[in-house]
Amino acid sequence: MLMRATLPSRGLPGRRLQGRIRQGIGWLCASRLVNWLEASAKETRELDSTELDNREPQCCWDPHFLGDGQAQRVSGQKKNGSCVCPVDSNQWSFPAVKYEAVLQQLQSCEGSLNILQEQVILSNKRLPQIQALVENMTARLEPHQYLHDRGLYTALSLRLMGQELNQLETDISAIHSQLNNTQTQKLSKEVDKLRTDVDKMQMSDTINMKTVKERLRYLKNTAESCKSIPKELICRDSYCLKGLITGISDPVMTKVSPHDKSYISGSWGKQAQMDSEGQKNSYWVQPLVSGHIWGNSLRVYQTYEDFMASANHKDFTFAPSYSHADAIEGPSAVLYGEALYYHCYRSADVCRYDLKSNIVKRVTLPGTGVGFNNKFPYCYYDCRANSDVDVEADETGLWALYATVGNHGNLVVSRLVWESEAETLNVTQTWETRLFKRAVSNAFMVCGVLYATRYMDEHHEEVFYAFDTATGKEDNSLALPLVKVAEGVASLSYNPTNKQIYMYNDGYLLAYQAHF
């Protein structure tokens, strides 16, 4: 068998193949095949044209390898620039196995490159997001810097910040291991610094400052409890001496608001002063009609029958507009005697509207940074807009429940007293609790004890906390269920005249019986 082969210039096929491989899969994979081809080319030395011109009219062509890897020389004749020689194809020993192994390595390398490329693309997309998150975290901390300066942040907020940092550190570590560039190194350093700052906050303030403030709170509450509430107010009802509430009934009354159930926020109940004459059996409803936040009117029914029939009512307007200084803000009202007590419009004041004289008096609540205008509303599951100040009544009188910056957003209880002779509304005593107000769905007072509720599900609330103003002691082990019709609770108040609890439940009016 004869084969005719045109003598190529030295190394040309190798260069072409090298270029194609490098263009196709990149230098990393191609270099391995190129090294092998160069070694093969070296072993299969081709004769150049000068070499052929100096030889006899014979030529050599080494088209195959022997088993030991050496080329075999075959004699032939030079004709018209070509070498004609006999070739025994049976002796052809091209290293096909070795070629296939290299080809498999190339394919594997190409797959690895594709995976790496996908990871780089994904990292490039996530990197700006993580960088924005780091920058945003600093911006989020900035408005609350005063909390750090005054030691006002809580252990809960620090723990939540720590959890966010843990996730952020994990994400940045993964990105940095893939890219390892200047940008990822900078991000890692910024997060490390942020971690150090949070750890310092936990060590210096959460342990030392928190301990000091807690001791101070305890001493202040003890001093307030030492101020005597008139004994005739405490002892005239023997059930108050039995201790905390032991149970709450299912709703004993359910009614849609007489204004319509679309008015989802407001207050209602029975007149709460035990020795009242003029409004002894009156029932009342105070809806919030402007954005479910503000109002300026009160509807009163003289009897229970009139209330249930939505008949024979009398409307009172205690402010000329919803945005007047005497307007009501939030679901906070209680009818006590012949006066409506409520939270005054966008202020830290409690107002008293006299139903007879139409005169409004007010008092400013004590404390550093009293929350209003939706700063410390009732929340837990879903915040009730502008429920910052809650006015309540019980056997001992009137109370204001609110939160202050000075008490870290925790509930504060202040006792209100109306001086009829001087016609002034005063705050006589104040207690600070450790219960964060935004972690509470609502609260009420019974026998001088604060009770707080939390959201359980769409049809249940639970009384879980009590604070006794007489002793300054707290109890967070309660589990008293409250069945409701709708999800949201706008207001919750106790009435000492019949020991019932009234709930304004998203436009539904519910009443419960308290058991001692």
Side-chain angles (χ1 to χ4, degrees), residues 14 33 71 76 93 102 120-121 125 133 218 281 320 387 400 406 413 459 485:
L33 183 58
S93 59
V102 173
V120 171
I121 293 173
K125 290 181 179 179
L133 181 60
Y218 173 77
N281 297 311
S387 56
V413 182
H459 298 294
V485 176

Side-chain angles (χ1 to χ4, degrees), residues 3 42 58 74 119 131 139 165 191 200 203 213 251 255 274 278 314 349 379 404 406 443 446 455 493 500 507:
M3 293 185 64
K42 183 176 180 181
Q58 292 182 345
V74 179
Q119 292 177 346
Q131 185 174 10
L165 279 177
V191 173
K200 287 181 179 179
M203 292 300 296
K213 288 183 176 294
K255 174 180 171 59
M274 300 186 71
K314 182 178 181 179
D349 298 348
C379 286
T404 65
V446 180
Y455 176 91
S493 59
Q500 288 190 352

Side-chain angles (χ1 to χ4, degrees), residues 311-496:
N312 302 322
H313 64 267
K314 182 178 181 179
D315 290 333
F316 297 85
T317 301
F318 47 85
S321 69
Y322 303 138
S323 58
H324 189 269
D326 292 338
I328 185 173
E329 177 172 326
S332 61
V334 60
L335 183 62
Y336 192 78
E338 296 189 74
L340 181 72
Y341 294 81
Y342 59 92
H343 177 209
C344 310
Y345 178 82
R346 289 192 175 178
S347 70
D349 298 348
V350 170
C351 284
R352 179 189 185 273
Y353 168 70
D354 192 302
L355 272 63
K356 287 186 175 181
S357 65
N358 294 325
I359 295 175
V360 176
K361 297 286 186 176
R362 62 176 64 213
V363 63
T364 300
L365 295 172
T368 302
V370 174
F372 63 91
N373 198 24
N374 213 35
K375 187 171 187 177
F376 295 120
Y378 287 130
C379 286
Y380 196 82
Y381 172 75
D382 188 20
C383 292
R384 178 62 58 167
N386 294 68
S387 56
D388 300 80
V389 178
D390 186 7
V391 182
E392 297 288 337
D394 70 355
E395 292 78 4
T396 63
L398 289 163
W399 303 87
L401 312 179
Y402 56 101
T404 65
V405 174
N407 195 34
H408 319 314
N410 297 328
L411 269 169
V412 175
V413 182
S414 287
R415 185 166 181 262
L416 305 174
V417 175
W418 170 251
E419 301 290 347
S420 58
E421 293 184 1
E423 294 188 348
T424 58
L425 183 62
N426 300 312
V427 176
T428 59
Q429 293 162 276
T430 298
W431 292 262
E432 294 180 344
T433 76
R434 294 183 296 180
L435 182 62
F436 190 54
K437 190 171 185 291
R438 281 179 170 266
V440 173
S441 61
N442 226 285
F444 57 94
M445 297 291 298
V446 180
C447 298
V449 177
L450 166 70
Y451 292 88
T453 63
R454 60 186 172 194
Y455 176 91
M456 299 299 289
D457 57 47
E458 185 176 355
H459 298 294
H460 295 87
E461 297 278 315
E462 182 183 67
V463 178
F464 73 101
Y465 173 89
F467 173 83
D468 191 347
T469 58
T471 63
K473 294 182 178 180
E474 297 172 295
D475 187 343
N476 56 8
S477 63
L478 301 182
L480 306 176
L482 275 168
V483 179
K484 56 186 180 179
V485 176
E487 187 173 54
V489 177
S491 65
L492 199 61
S493 59
Y494 169 77
N495 191 293

Side-chain angles (χ1 to χ4, degrees), residues 52-59 75-79 84:
L52 290 172
D53 291 339
N54 295 331
R55 291 179 58 86
E56 295 295 328
Q58 292 182 345
C59 61
S75 299
Q77 295 182 350
K78 179 181 178 183
K79 292 183 179 181
V84 180

Side-chain angles (χ1 to χ4, degrees), residues 171-361:
D171 293 340
I172 289 181
S173 177
I175 296 297
H176 183 61
S177 63
Q178 295 177 7
L179 300 182
N180 193 17
N181 55 29
T182 304
Q183 193 174 14
T184 59
Q185 292 175 359
K186 181 180 178 181
L187 282 175
S188 298
K189 291 180 180 179
E190 290 179 2
V191 173
D192 289 342
K193 182 178 181 299
L194 194 58
R195 166 64 69 185
T196 302
D197 292 342
V198 172
D199 290 343
K200 287 181 179 179
M201 290 164 65
Q202 290 176 328
M203 292 300 296
S204 62
D205 294 272
T206 303
I207 297 176
N208 300 329
M209 187 61 70
K210 183 179 178 181
T211 301
V212 173
K213 288 183 176 294
E214 173 57 25
R215 181 62 179 171
L216 180 61
R217 185 197 67 83
Y218 173 77
L219 293 175
K220 288 170 62 178
N221 283 345
T222 303
E224 292 295 323
S225 298
C226 289
K227 297 178 182 178
S228 60
I229 297 177
K231 293 183 179 180
E232 63 272 13
L233 293 179
I234 297 179
C235 301
R236 68 183 178 186
D237 296 301
S238 59
Y239 60 85
C240 284
L241 303 177
K242 294 180 180 180
L244 301 178
I245 293 177
T246 58
I248 300 174
S249 72
D250 288 340
V252 296
M253 187 193 75
T254 302
K255 174 180 171 59
V256 176
S257 170
H259 294 85
D260 191 78
K261 67 178 181 180
S262 61
Y263 293 92
I264 62 173
S265 198
S267 308
W268 84 282
K270 183 177 180 290
Q271 186 283 127
Q273 187 174 2
M274 300 186 71
D275 54 1
S276 175
E277 294 296 335
Q279 302 289 337
K280 186 175 182 180
N281 297 311
S282 298
Y283 283 79
W284 59 276
V285 180
Q286 198 290 304
L288 299 177
V289 296
S290 178
H292 307 299
I293 297 174
W294 300 285
N296 66 341
S297 64
L298 169 70
R299 178 167 293 183
V300 178
Y301 301 86
Q302 290 300 316
T303 66
Y304 173 77
E305 290 74 19
D306 288 342
F307 170 70
M308 293 302 295
S310 297
N312 302 322
H313 64 267
K314 182 178 181 179
D315 290 333
F316 297 85
T317 301
F318 47 85
S321 69
Y322 303 138
S323 58
H324 189 269
D326 292 338
I328 185 173
E329 177 172 326
S332 61
V334 60
L335 183 62
Y336 192 78
E338 296 189 74
L340 181 72
Y341 294 81
Y342 59 92
H343 177 209
C344 310
Y345 178 82
R346 289 192 175 178
S347 70
D349 298 348
V350 170
C351 284
R352 179 189 185 273
Y353 168 70
D354 192 302
L355 272 63
K356 287 186 175 181
S357 65
N358 294 325
I359 295 175
V360 176
K361 297 286 186 176

